[in-house]
mmCIF file with all atom_site columns, all heavy atoms in Angstrom:
data_model
loop_
_atom_site.group_PDB
_atom_site.id
_atom_site.type_symbol
_atom_site.label_atom_id
_atom_site.label_alt_id
_atom_site.label_comp_id
_atom_site.label_asym_id
_atom_site.label_entity_id
_atom_site.label_seq_id
_atom_site.pdbx_PDB_ins_code
_atom_site.Cartn_x
_atom_site.Cartn_y
_atom_site.Cartn_z
_atom_site.occupancy
_atom_site.B_iso_or_equiv
_atom_site.pdbx_formal_charge
_atom_site.auth_seq_id
_atom_site.auth_comp_id
_atom_site.auth_asym_id
_atom_site.auth_atom_id
_atom_site.pdbx_PDB_model_num
ATOM 1  N N   . ARG B 1 100 ? -3.844 25.814 -14.450 1.00 0.00 ? 117 ARG B N   1
ATOM 2  C CA  . ARG B 1 100 ? -3.052 26.880 -15.033 1.00 0.00 ? 117 ARG B CA  1
ATOM 3  C C   . ARG B 1 100 ? -2.226 26.457 -16.225 1.00 0.00 ? 117 ARG B C   1
ATOM 4  O O   . ARG B 1 100 ? -2.056 27.198 -17.197 1.00 0.00 ? 117 ARG B O   1
ATOM 5  C CB  . ARG B 1 100 ? -2.092 27.412 -13.926 1.00 0.00 ? 117 ARG B CB  1
ATOM 6  C CG  . ARG B 1 100 ? -1.350 28.606 -14.299 1.00 0.00 ? 117 ARG B CG  1
ATOM 7  C CD  . ARG B 1 100 ? -0.661 29.196 -13.069 1.00 0.00 ? 117 ARG B CD  1
ATOM 8  N NE  . ARG B 1 100 ? 0.339  30.192 -13.413 1.00 0.00 ? 117 ARG B NE  1
ATOM 9  C CZ  . ARG B 1 100 ? 1.187  30.686 -12.558 1.00 0.00 ? 117 ARG B CZ  1
ATOM 10 N NH1 . ARG B 1 100 ? 1.179  30.270 -11.307 1.00 0.00 ? 117 ARG B NH1 1
ATOM 11 N NH2 . ARG B 1 100 ? 2.046  31.593 -12.908 1.00 0.00 ? 117 ARG B NH2 1
ATOM 12 N N   . TYR B 1 101 ? -1.651 25.260 -16.137 1.00 0.00 ? 118 TYR B N   1
ATOM 13 C CA  . TYR B 1 101 ? -0.837 24.774 -17.238 1.00 0.00 ? 118 TYR B CA  1
ATOM 14 C C   . TYR B 1 101 ? -1.561 23.652 -17.954 1.00 0.00 ? 118 TYR B C   1
ATOM 15 O O   . TYR B 1 101 ? -1.266 22.435 -17.758 1.00 0.00 ? 118 TYR B O   1
ATOM 16 C CB  . TYR B 1 101 ? 0.517  24.298 -16.661 1.00 0.00 ? 118 TYR B CB  1
ATOM 17 C CG  . TYR B 1 101 ? 1.223  25.384 -15.912 1.00 0.00 ? 118 TYR B CG  1
ATOM 18 C CD1 . TYR B 1 101 ? 1.447  25.201 -14.527 1.00 0.00 ? 118 TYR B CD1 1
ATOM 19 C CD2 . TYR B 1 101 ? 1.631  26.531 -16.547 1.00 0.00 ? 118 TYR B CD2 1
ATOM 20 C CE1 . TYR B 1 101 ? 2.079  26.214 -13.825 1.00 0.00 ? 118 TYR B CE1 1
ATOM 21 C CE2 . TYR B 1 101 ? 2.251  27.552 -15.839 1.00 0.00 ? 118 TYR B CE2 1
ATOM 22 C CZ  . TYR B 1 101 ? 2.475  27.363 -14.484 1.00 0.00 ? 118 TYR B CZ  1
ATOM 23 O OH  . TYR B 1 101 ? 3.096  28.350 -13.763 1.00 0.00 ? 118 TYR B OH  1
ATOM 24 N N   . ALA B 1 102 ? -2.534 23.999 -18.767 1.00 0.00 ? 119 ALA B N   1
ATOM 25 C CA  . ALA B 1 102 ? -3.289 22.992 -19.520 1.00 0.00 ? 119 ALA B CA  1
ATOM 26 C C   . ALA B 1 102 ? -2.310 22.132 -20.338 1.00 0.00 ? 119 ALA B C   1
ATOM 27 O O   . ALA B 1 102 ? -1.402 22.661 -20.987 1.00 0.00 ? 119 ALA B O   1
ATOM 28 C CB  . ALA B 1 102 ? -4.301 23.668 -20.468 1.00 0.00 ? 119 ALA B CB  1
ATOM 29 N N   . SER B 1 103 ? -2.467 20.808 -20.225 1.00 0.00 ? 120 SER B N   1
ATOM 30 C CA  . SER B 1 103 ? -1.432 19.926 -20.776 1.00 0.00 ? 120 SER B CA  1
ATOM 31 C C   . SER B 1 103 ? -1.330 20.012 -22.310 1.00 0.00 ? 120 SER B C   1
ATOM 32 O O   . SER B 1 103 ? -0.296 19.793 -22.843 1.00 0.00 ? 120 SER B O   1
ATOM 33 C CB  . SER B 1 103 ? -1.693 18.478 -20.331 1.00 0.00 ? 120 SER B CB  1
ATOM 34 O OG  . SER B 1 103 ? -2.945 18.058 -20.724 1.00 0.00 ? 120 SER B OG  1
ATOM 35 N N   . ASP B 1 104 ? -2.406 20.403 -22.953 1.00 0.00 ? 121 ASP B N   1
ATOM 36 C CA  . ASP B 1 104 ? -2.303 20.492 -24.416 1.00 0.00 ? 121 ASP B CA  1
ATOM 37 C C   . ASP B 1 104 ? -1.585 21.735 -24.888 1.00 0.00 ? 121 ASP B C   1
ATOM 38 O O   . ASP B 1 104 ? -1.066 21.820 -26.000 1.00 0.00 ? 121 ASP B O   1
ATOM 39 C CB  . ASP B 1 104 ? -3.685 20.388 -25.083 1.00 0.00 ? 121 ASP B CB  1
ATOM 40 C CG  . ASP B 1 104 ? -4.650 21.391 -24.461 1.00 0.00 ? 121 ASP B CG  1
ATOM 41 O OD1 . ASP B 1 104 ? -4.383 21.905 -23.357 1.00 0.00 ? 121 ASP B OD1 1
ATOM 42 O OD2 . ASP B 1 104 ? -5.664 21.679 -25.116 1.00 0.00 ? 121 ASP B OD2 1
ATOM 43 N N   . ILE B 1 105 ? -1.535 22.731 -24.043 1.00 0.00 ? 122 ILE B N   1
ATOM 44 C CA  . ILE B 1 105 ? -0.876 23.999 -24.416 1.00 0.00 ? 122 ILE B CA  1
ATOM 45 C C   . ILE B 1 105 ? 0.615  23.980 -24.013 1.00 0.00 ? 122 ILE B C   1
ATOM 46 O O   . ILE B 1 105 ? 1.495  24.363 -24.781 1.00 0.00 ? 122 ILE B O   1
ATOM 47 C CB  . ILE B 1 105 ? -1.537 25.196 -23.742 1.00 0.00 ? 122 ILE B CB  1
ATOM 48 C CG1 . ILE B 1 105 ? -2.947 25.342 -24.327 1.00 0.00 ? 122 ILE B CG1 1
ATOM 49 C CG2 . ILE B 1 105 ? -0.741 26.472 -23.981 1.00 0.00 ? 122 ILE B CG2 1
ATOM 50 C CD1 . ILE B 1 105 ? -3.764 26.453 -23.699 1.00 0.00 ? 122 ILE B CD1 1
ATOM 51 N N   . TYR B 1 106 ? 0.866  23.492 -22.826 1.00 0.00 ? 123 TYR B N   1
ATOM 52 C CA  . TYR B 1 106 ? 2.235  23.590 -22.279 1.00 0.00 ? 123 TYR B CA  1
ATOM 53 C C   . TYR B 1 106 ? 3.106  22.392 -22.529 1.00 0.00 ? 123 TYR B C   1
ATOM 54 O O   . TYR B 1 106 ? 4.182  22.312 -22.032 1.00 0.00 ? 123 TYR B O   1
ATOM 55 C CB  . TYR B 1 106 ? 2.195  23.906 -20.777 1.00 0.00 ? 123 TYR B CB  1
ATOM 56 C CG  . TYR B 1 106 ? 1.776  25.345 -20.526 1.00 0.00 ? 123 TYR B CG  1
ATOM 57 C CD1 . TYR B 1 106 ? 0.445  25.668 -20.264 1.00 0.00 ? 123 TYR B CD1 1
ATOM 58 C CD2 . TYR B 1 106 ? 2.741  26.328 -20.566 1.00 0.00 ? 123 TYR B CD2 1
ATOM 59 C CE1 . TYR B 1 106 ? 0.072  27.021 -20.054 1.00 0.00 ? 123 TYR B CE1 1
ATOM 60 C CE2 . TYR B 1 106 ? 2.375  27.665 -20.379 1.00 0.00 ? 123 TYR B CE2 1
ATOM 61 C CZ  . TYR B 1 106 ? 1.071  27.998 -20.096 1.00 0.00 ? 123 TYR B CZ  1
ATOM 62 O OH  . TYR B 1 106 ? 0.710  29.261 -19.896 1.00 0.00 ? 123 TYR B OH  1
ATOM 63 N N   . ARG B 1 107 ? 2.563  21.406 -23.337 1.00 0.00 ? 124 ARG B N   1
ATOM 64 C CA  . ARG B 1 107 ? 3.351  20.203 -23.563 1.00 0.00 ? 124 ARG B CA  1
ATOM 65 C C   . ARG B 1 107 ? 4.769  20.482 -24.090 1.00 0.00 ? 124 ARG B C   1
ATOM 66 O O   . ARG B 1 107 ? 4.951  21.138 -25.080 1.00 0.00 ? 124 ARG B O   1
ATOM 67 C CB  . ARG B 1 107 ? 2.617  19.291 -24.578 1.00 0.00 ? 124 ARG B CB  1
ATOM 68 C CG  . ARG B 1 107 ? 3.268  17.972 -24.743 1.00 0.00 ? 124 ARG B CG  1
ATOM 69 C CD  . ARG B 1 107 ? 2.350  16.945 -25.311 1.00 0.00 ? 124 ARG B CD  1
ATOM 70 N NE  . ARG B 1 107 ? 1.227  16.654 -24.391 1.00 0.00 ? 124 ARG B NE  1
ATOM 71 C CZ  . ARG B 1 107 ? -0.038 16.616 -24.705 1.00 0.00 ? 124 ARG B CZ  1
ATOM 72 N NH1 . ARG B 1 107 ? -0.420 16.850 -25.935 1.00 0.00 ? 124 ARG B NH1 1
ATOM 73 N NH2 . ARG B 1 107 ? -0.980 16.380 -23.808 1.00 0.00 ? 124 ARG B NH2 1
ATOM 74 N N   . GLY B 1 108 ? 5.750  20.022 -23.312 1.00 0.00 ? 125 GLY B N   1
ATOM 75 C CA  . GLY B 1 108 ? 7.118  20.056 -23.733 1.00 0.00 ? 125 GLY B CA  1
ATOM 76 C C   . GLY B 1 108 ? 7.788  21.413 -23.579 1.00 0.00 ? 125 GLY B C   1
ATOM 77 O O   . GLY B 1 108 ? 8.962  21.578 -23.900 1.00 0.00 ? 125 GLY B O   1
ATOM 78 N N   . SER B 1 109 ? 7.084  22.376 -23.026 1.00 0.00 ? 126 SER B N   1
ATOM 79 C CA  . SER B 1 109 ? 7.680  23.714 -22.833 1.00 0.00 ? 126 SER B CA  1
ATOM 80 C C   . SER B 1 109 ? 7.542  24.189 -21.407 1.00 0.00 ? 126 SER B C   1
ATOM 81 O O   . SER B 1 109 ? 6.476  24.244 -20.851 1.00 0.00 ? 126 SER B O   1
ATOM 82 C CB  . SER B 1 109 ? 6.966  24.692 -23.768 1.00 0.00 ? 126 SER B CB  1
ATOM 83 O OG  . SER B 1 109 ? 7.311  26.007 -23.402 1.00 0.00 ? 126 SER B OG  1
ATOM 84 N N   . ALA B 1 110 ? 8.661  24.536 -20.820 1.00 0.00 ? 127 ALA B N   1
ATOM 85 C CA  . ALA B 1 110 ? 8.644  25.034 -19.429 1.00 0.00 ? 127 ALA B CA  1
ATOM 86 C C   . ALA B 1 110 ? 9.090  26.454 -19.332 1.00 0.00 ? 127 ALA B C   1
ATOM 87 O O   . ALA B 1 110 ? 9.082  27.055 -18.283 1.00 0.00 ? 127 ALA B O   1
ATOM 88 C CB  . ALA B 1 110 ? 9.517  24.145 -18.532 1.00 0.00 ? 127 ALA B CB  1
ATOM 89 N N   . ARG B 1 111 ? 9.561  27.003 -20.431 1.00 0.00 ? 128 ARG B N   1
ATOM 90 C CA  . ARG B 1 111 ? 10.147 28.353 -20.359 1.00 0.00 ? 128 ARG B CA  1
ATOM 91 C C   . ARG B 1 111 ? 9.243  29.356 -19.694 1.00 0.00 ? 128 ARG B C   1
ATOM 92 O O   . ARG B 1 111 ? 9.595  29.958 -18.704 1.00 0.00 ? 128 ARG B O   1
ATOM 93 C CB  . ARG B 1 111 ? 10.410 28.884 -21.776 1.00 0.00 ? 128 ARG B CB  1
ATOM 94 C CG  . ARG B 1 111 ? 11.550 28.318 -22.479 1.00 0.00 ? 128 ARG B CG  1
ATOM 95 C CD  . ARG B 1 111 ? 12.836 28.222 -21.663 1.00 0.00 ? 128 ARG B CD  1
ATOM 96 N NE  . ARG B 1 111 ? 13.638 27.281 -22.440 1.00 0.00 ? 128 ARG B NE  1
ATOM 97 C CZ  . ARG B 1 111 ? 14.115 27.518 -23.647 1.00 0.00 ? 128 ARG B CZ  1
ATOM 98 N NH1 . ARG B 1 111 ? 13.937 28.701 -24.211 1.00 0.00 ? 128 ARG B NH1 1
ATOM 99 N NH2 . ARG B 1 111 ? 14.827 26.606 -24.308 1.00 0.00 ? 128 ARG B NH2 1
#
Side-chain angles (χ1 to χ4, degrees):
Chain B
R117 187 169 167 190
Y118 304 114
S120 57
D121 51 342
I122 294 176
Y123 285 95
R124 185 160 296 132
S126 168
R128 286 314 163 64

